[in-house]
C-alpha cells in the first residue's frame, strides 16, 4: 500500500508521579456555522456519529477529552485546570494554587502515549515497503519515525468515533499557526533560528508532496 502523508504532529509525552485528584472541567461554546467534516470510511452511511469536524471554526470538545483521560488513568495535581478566555478555541493550563518550582502536575499512563516507536511497531509491515521506497526517493528516510506517527494519526482519524483516541482528537484545535501552516512570507518575518527550523519542518512535509516523489 502507498500512503501520502499530509499531517504533522509533535511526538510528546509526560510522566510524573504524585497523588492527584481531578479538578472541574471547562465548557466550550459551539459555533454553528461550520460544515467541513472528515468522514470515516469505516461507516458506509457516513452517519453523524462517525465524523470529526475539521473546519477551522469547529468547537473543541474539551469536557469529553477530560472525562476520557480520567477513565484512561491520567491524573492531575490539586489546583491544575484547563481554562479558556474565548469560548473554548484557545485552551491553556493554569493553577489556582501556588505550586513549588519543579512540582509534578500531571501523570500520563504509558498506554495513553502515542509514540513513533509504537506507530512503527504497529504499522511497519511488508506492505509498507513501497511507501518507504517513496520516502527514501526524496531523501527523507531520517524522518521515518515522524512519518509513521503521522500515518498512525491519519488511521485513527479515519476510524472516527470507533477510534480509542476519538475524544482526544475531537478536542484538538483545527486552526494552527505552526511551521507547516506558514506562508513563505511568514517565514521571512521570523528570527533567524526560528526561520531555519520552520523551513526545515516545511521541507519534511514538502518532500511528501506529489511533485517531489520519484515514482
Amino acid at each position: 500500500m502507498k500512503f501520502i502523508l499530509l499531517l504533522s504532529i509533535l511526538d510528546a509525552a509526560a510522566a510524573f508521579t504524585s497523588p492527584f485528584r481531578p479538578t472541574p472541567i471547562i465548557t466550550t461554546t459551539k459555533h454553528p456555522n461550520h460544515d467541513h467534516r472528515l468522514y470515516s470510511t469505516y461507516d458506509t452511511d457516513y452517519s453523524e456519529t462517525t465524523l470529526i469536524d475539521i473546519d477551522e471554526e469547529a468547537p473543541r470538545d474539551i469536557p469529553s477529552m477530560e472525562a476520557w483521560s480520567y477513565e484512561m488513568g491520567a491524573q492531575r495535581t490539586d489546583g491544575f485546570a484547563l481554562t479558556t478566555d474565548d469560548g473554548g478555541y484557545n485552551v491553556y493550563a493554569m493553577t489556582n494554587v501556588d505550586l513549588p518550582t519543579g512540582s509534578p502536575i500531571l501523570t500520563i499512563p504509558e498506554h495513553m502515549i502515542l509514540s513513533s516507536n509504537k506507530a512503527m511497531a504497529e504499522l511497519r509491515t511488508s506492505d509498507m515497503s513501497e511507501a518507504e521506497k517513496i520516502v527514501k526517493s526524496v531523501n527523507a528516510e531520517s524522518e521515518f519515525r515522524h512519518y509513521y506517527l503521522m500515518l498512525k494519526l491519519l488511521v485513527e482519524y479515519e476510524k472516527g468515533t470507533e477510534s480509542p483516541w476519538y475524544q482526544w482528537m475531537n478536542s484538538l484545535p483545527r486552526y494552527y499557526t505552526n511551521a507547516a501552516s506558514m506562508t513563505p512570507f511568514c517565514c521571512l518575518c521570523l528570527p533567524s533560528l526560528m526561520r531555519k527550523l520552520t523551513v526545515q519542518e516545511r521541507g519534511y512535509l514538502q518532500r511528501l508532496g506529489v511533485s517531489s516523489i520519484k515514482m
Side-chain angles (χ1 to χ4, degrees):
M1 299 174 65
K2 298 182 180 179
F3 297 89
I4 305 300
L5 311 180
L6 303 175
L7 196 59
S8 77
I9 62 175
L10 296 177
D11 196 0
F16 300 97
T17 57
S18 184
F20 300 94
R21 279 190 314 203
T23 55
I25 57 180
I26 67 170
T27 58
T28 60
T29 302
K30 294 189 176 182
H31 287 221
N33 298 321
H34 53 81
D35 56 6
H36 296 189
R37 295 173 170 82
L38 182 65
Y39 290 92
S40 169
T41 57
Y42 284 75
D43 189 341
T44 55
D45 64 3
Y46 301 109
S47 69
E48 288 290 315
T49 60
T50 62
L51 60 85
I52 295 178
D53 195 334
I54 59 171
D55 183 75
E56 289 183 355
E57 296 297 316
R60 300 172 60 182
D61 189 353
I62 304 299
S64 294
M65 181 274 291
E66 292 199 302
W68 166 81
S69 67
Y70 299 150
E71 292 175 1
M72 295 288 284
Q75 296 175 311
R76 65 175 81 183
T77 191
D78 290 338
F80 176 89
L82 298 178
T83 189
T84 180
D85 298 323
D86 58 6
Y89 285 88
N90 290 288
V91 179
Y92 59 92
M94 65 173 293
T95 61
N96 53 31
V97 298
D98 290 333
L99 295 175
T101 301
S103 298
I105 57 172
L106 289 172
T107 177
I108 308 297
E110 190 275 338
H111 67 267
M112 289 184 67
I113 298 173
L114 266 179
S115 70
S116 56
N117 289 337
K118 291 180 182 178
M120 291 188 73
E122 175 185 346
L123 301 173
R124 196 176 195 183
T125 65
S126 58
D127 292 334
M128 293 297 294
S129 60
E130 290 300 315
E132 290 194 4
K133 287 180 181 178
I134 293 175
V135 174
K136 291 179 180 178
S137 75
V138 293
N139 300 316
E141 57 266 34
S142 64
E143 298 303 308
F144 269 154
R145 291 173 61 253
H146 292 95
Y147 293 153
Y148 270 102
L149 191 54
M150 296 179 203
L151 178 59
K152 171 61 175 176
L153 188 58
L154 290 174
V155 168
E156 296 304 323
Y157 262 93
E158 186 182 38
K159 292 179 182 178
T161 53
E162 298 302 314
S163 169
W165 305 97
Y166 172 77
Q167 288 84 355
W168 170 67
M169 294 186 296
N170 203 37
S171 74
L172 296 176
R174 274 62 164 186
Y175 177 78
Y176 294 90
T177 54
N178 54 11
S181 63
M182 287 185 177
T183 65
F185 178 77
C186 291
C187 294
L188 293 176
C189 299
L190 297 174
S192 57
L193 178 58
M194 292 180 64
R195 181 167 63 249
K196 177 183 177 181
L197 296 175
T198 295
V199 171
Q200 184 181 59
E201 288 297 319
R202 286 173 58 84
Y204 292 149
L205 290 184
Q206 289 172 347
R207 289 175 185 175
L208 295 181
V210 174
S211 61
S212 301
I213 293 174
K214 303 171 184 177
M215 302 300 290

